[in-house]
Amino acid sequence: MTEMLKGTLEGIVLALLALGPAYGYEITARLREQGFVDIAEGTIYALLVRLEQKGQVDVEKVPSEKGPPRKVFTLNARGRAALDEFWSSWAFLAERLAHLKSEGDK
């Protein structure tokens, strides 16, 4: 499962950010709520840095009640385009897998 997630985690995080801005720990918590319990926080932070470097998210430092300011990530137009591409690829892959399964069930 971990290996399969590596190829899709970026799209999953983009999908979460499409629901609204969030900071790293919040994204990790949302993933865990969705059943992705084995994903390490460090993995999410590294992924967020990559998304920022690709220009797919906007980042704003927001004061925190505890500790240093938090980096809040917001999906931007480039990120939305990447998410659309992810969903398109996912739909194609899901369709192909369903076809293979139905062929194998015959």
Side-chain angles (χ1 to χ4, degrees):
M1 181 64 117
T2 302
E3 288 301 314
M4 289 179 75
L5 271 177
K6 283 184 183 178
T8 58
L9 190 56
E10 189 171 299
I12 293 168
V13 169
L14 289 172
L16 286 175
L17 289 174
L19 300 174
Y23 55 94
Y25 179 78
E26 188 175 17
I27 292 168
T28 303
R30 287 180 187 175
L31 287 167
R32 290 185 177 144
E33 287 170 5
Q34 296 293 323
F36 300 104
V37 294
D38 294 332
I39 297 173
E41 265 183 75
T43 300
I44 300 305
Y45 287 112
L47 188 147
L48 289 168
V49 168
R50 283 195 310 274
L51 292 177
E52 184 178 3
Q53 289 171 343
K54 290 179 176 182
Q56 296 176 346
V57 294
D58 295 327
V59 181
E60 180 183 358
K61 287 192 177 185
V62 176
S64 171
E65 294 175 10
K66 304 173 189 174
R70 291 183 173 145
K71 287 175 81 173
V72 175
F73 297 85
T74 304
L75 193 65
N76 61 26
R78 185 179 283 176
R80 210 162 279 288
L83 179 58
D84 290 344
E85 185 176 323
F86 169 78
W87 285 130
S88 177
S89 297
W90 183 262
F92 173 80
L93 181 59
E95 181 183 311
R96 296 292 88 213
L97 289 172
H99 178 75
L100 282 172
K101 183 178 183 324
S102 68
E103 288 292 314
D105 289 344
K106 290 181 181 177

